[in-house]
Amino acid sequence: MNKKALLALPFLSLVASCAGTNPSLETYVKEIPVFASKDEGHVLHLSDIHWSIETNYAVEEAYIKKVIEQAKAFSGGTLDLIMITGDLFLTANQSTVQHLFNLLDSFDIPWGFTYGNHDKQGTYGPSYVIDEAMKRKNCVAQEVKDAVYGRSNYVVNLTDGTSTKWQVYSIDSNSLTATGPTYKYDVIHEDQIDWYEQEINLAKANNGGTVVSNLTFFHIPLFQWEYAYRVSKSDPSKYHHGGDMWDKVCSSAPDGLEGTRTYPGYKDTGLFKKAESLGATKGMFCGHDHSNSFYSVYGEDLIDSNDILLAYALKGGHGLDYHTYAEGEEMAPGCNAGMDMIGGNVITIHKDGSFDAATDFFQLAVQY
């Protein structure tokens, strides 16, 4: 990690740093032999669990178990990876962190996470969450001591035992940053995008010059979530899409996104454009906006084959009262009853690198 702002409370920032190093690209990579004996893999996407010192463990454990059981049943009995796009914790302590990680590890399924903007808001040091996670047998998350901005930047190669068939990327979308007299959500920084490109190109080189398909996970949505939503409303037939935007209108939206119900970082740093140009990324997945369930295939260049599925998570628990985030008459159906906005996304990937959002992506809403 390098220098970055860590927000423990609004308007209170602490700076942590360590000496930057220059590790090899391979240092960021772990492998799982998902395709050693089958042609399909299944990834469960969770987000915004928000365990805290007030969490009712019995209730929340039972719910997470229910989500995983239903996701496994939907996937034909197996899950190959669980990815959580941040905000696992909010005002937590060390015991809370240990409890959730012990639960996740107990399923004996590889699991990883990206940092959200709340995960460091607890009675522990800034590196405690990732350090504690890395002690667990089934955890694939890691933090490399490097000069790339942020934490939880890493890669998981899904192999057939010999060669990489898919990749999963975790990228830290960071927390808050000062923009004049106020704080706004931070962004994925340019050096993180450079690292992302280098890792994709390395995988391509190791695959004989053919791109390796990937899924990419981070916490805070990009501007393109809003752009895709506007296209879906103006031309519903253009892209495969579903769900909706239920959050309140963002009062501090970046320029150009006025009226949006997304809560992105303060500027577009070019991750989507880069991913589209490289042609490897089939889906990008985020959390953060607690009541949004929108997803859509979307593209900005003229190469249709490079279009990317952009998807919100269905939130992974009752750590927050999600219906308070919806506004007036546009509240999500059933949201007051704790339905529709919680559950998980099930993502199916194929050994040949193919992915069709219409058939390979499913929002699994799970009631308490």
Side-chain angles (χ1 to χ4, degrees), residues 7-13 176 181-183:
L7 274 293
L9 292 170
F11 311 114
L12 174 63
S13 64
L176 300 177
T182 62
Y183 283 90

mmCIF file of all heavy atoms in Angstrom, residues 7-13 176 181-183:
data_model
loop_
_atom_site.group_PDB
_atom_site.id
_atom_site.type_symbol
_atom_site.label_atom_id
_atom_site.label_comp_id
_atom_site.label_asym_id
_atom_site.label_seq_id
_atom_site.Cartn_x
_atom_site.Cartn_y
_atom_site.Cartn_z
ATOM 1 N N LEU A 7 -10.661 7.210 6.635
ATOM 2 C CA LEU A 7 -11.683 7.962 7.345
ATOM 3 C C LEU A 7 -12.261 7.121 8.462
ATOM 4 O O LEU A 7 -12.918 6.124 8.223
ATOM 5 C CB LEU A 7 -12.789 8.389 6.384
ATOM 6 C CG LEU A 7 -12.556 9.689 5.623
ATOM 7 C CD1 LEU A 7 -12.556 10.867 6.577
ATOM 8 C CD2 LEU A 7 -11.254 9.622 4.841
ATOM 9 N N ALA A 8 -12.008 7.520 9.701
ATOM 10 C CA ALA A 8 -12.582 6.834 10.847
ATOM 11 C C ALA A 8 -13.907 7.450 11.224
ATOM 12 O O ALA A 8 -14.818 6.780 11.676
ATOM 13 C CB ALA A 8 -11.621 6.893 12.033
ATOM 14 N N LEU A 9 -14.036 8.746 11.065
ATOM 15 C CA LEU A 9 -15.272 9.475 11.296
ATOM 16 C C LEU A 9 -15.354 10.560 10.239
ATOM 17 O O LEU A 9 -14.332 10.985 9.695
ATOM 18 C CB LEU A 9 -15.276 10.115 12.698
ATOM 19 C CG LEU A 9 -15.336 9.160 13.886
ATOM 20 C CD1 LEU A 9 -15.088 9.944 15.169
ATOM 21 C CD2 LEU A 9 -16.682 8.453 13.958
ATOM 22 N N PRO A 10 -16.571 11.028 9.893
ATOM 23 C CA PRO A 10 -16.643 12.122 8.925
ATOM 24 C C PRO A 10 -15.775 13.300 9.350
ATOM 25 O O PRO A 10 -15.774 13.697 10.511
ATOM 26 C CB PRO A 10 -18.142 12.474 8.937
ATOM 27 C CG PRO A 10 -18.816 11.206 9.366
ATOM 28 C CD PRO A 10 -17.865 10.574 10.349
ATOM 29 N N PHE A 11 -15.041 13.833 8.400
ATOM 30 C CA PHE A 11 -14.184 15.009 8.570
ATOM 31 C C PHE A 11 -12.961 14.756 9.467
ATOM 32 O O PHE A 11 -12.279 15.682 9.854
ATOM 33 C CB PHE A 11 -14.986 16.205 9.122
ATOM 34 C CG PHE A 11 -16.254 16.432 8.368
ATOM 35 C CD1 PHE A 11 -17.475 16.243 8.967
ATOM 36 C CD2 PHE A 11 -16.201 16.806 7.037
ATOM 37 C CE1 PHE A 11 -18.649 16.440 8.258
ATOM 38 C CE2 PHE A 11 -17.372 17.003 6.322
ATOM 39 C CZ PHE A 11 -18.590 16.818 6.935
ATOM 40 N N LEU A 12 -12.717 13.479 9.821
ATOM 41 C CA LEU A 12 -11.517 13.153 10.582
ATOM 42 C C LEU A 12 -10.723 12.168 9.761
ATOM 43 O O LEU A 12 -11.155 11.055 9.521
ATOM 44 C CB LEU A 12 -11.878 12.530 11.934
ATOM 45 C CG LEU A 12 -10.689 12.000 12.765
ATOM 46 C CD1 LEU A 12 -9.770 13.161 13.132
ATOM 47 C CD2 LEU A 12 -11.186 11.306 14.021
ATOM 48 N N SER A 13 -9.552 12.576 9.298
ATOM 49 C CA SER A 13 -8.776 11.679 8.461
ATOM 50 C C SER A 13 -7.417 11.419 9.082
ATOM 51 O O SER A 13 -6.833 12.265 9.725
ATOM 52 C CB SER A 13 -8.593 12.276 7.054
ATOM 53 O OG SER A 13 -7.856 13.460 7.120
ATOM 54 N N LEU A 176 -12.898 8.245 0.960
ATOM 55 C CA LEU A 176 -13.268 9.641 0.715
ATOM 56 C C LEU A 176 -12.027 10.452 0.386
ATOM 57 O O LEU A 176 -10.909 10.083 0.745
ATOM 58 C CB LEU A 176 -13.951 10.248 1.943
ATOM 59 C CG LEU A 176 -15.246 9.592 2.437
ATOM 60 C CD1 LEU A 176 -15.733 10.278 3.707
ATOM 61 C CD2 LEU A 176 -16.319 9.620 1.379
ATOM 62 N N PRO A 181 -13.716 22.308 0.316
ATOM 63 C CA PRO A 181 -14.109 22.326 1.724
ATOM 64 C C PRO A 181 -14.882 21.077 2.150
ATOM 65 O O PRO A 181 -15.209 20.923 3.330
ATOM 66 C CB PRO A 181 -15.014 23.563 1.820
ATOM 67 C CG PRO A 181 -15.603 23.684 0.453
ATOM 68 C CD PRO A 181 -14.523 23.230 -0.499
ATOM 69 N N THR A 182 -15.225 20.187 1.200
ATOM 70 C CA THR A 182 -16.030 19.011 1.524
ATOM 71 C C THR A 182 -15.301 17.732 1.134
ATOM 72 O O THR A 182 -14.304 17.761 0.415
ATOM 73 C CB THR A 182 -17.382 19.064 0.801
ATOM 74 O OG1 THR A 182 -17.148 19.050 -0.615
ATOM 75 C CG2 THR A 182 -18.161 20.311 1.175
ATOM 76 N N TYR A 183 -15.842 16.627 1.618
ATOM 77 C CA TYR A 183 -15.346 15.311 1.224
ATOM 78 C C TYR A 183 -16.324 14.685 0.238
ATOM 79 O O TYR A 183 -17.540 14.762 0.414
ATOM 80 C CB TYR A 183 -15.207 14.394 2.439
ATOM 81 C CG TYR A 183 -13.985 14.680 3.274
ATOM 82 C CD1 TYR A 183 -14.030 15.593 4.325
ATOM 83 C CD2 TYR A 183 -12.785 14.035 3.011
ATOM 84 C CE1 TYR A 183 -12.915 15.848 5.094
ATOM 85 C CE2 TYR A 183 -11.660 14.283 3.769
ATOM 86 C CZ TYR A 183 -11.723 15.189 4.814
ATOM 87 O OH TYR A 183 -10.612 15.444 5.569
#
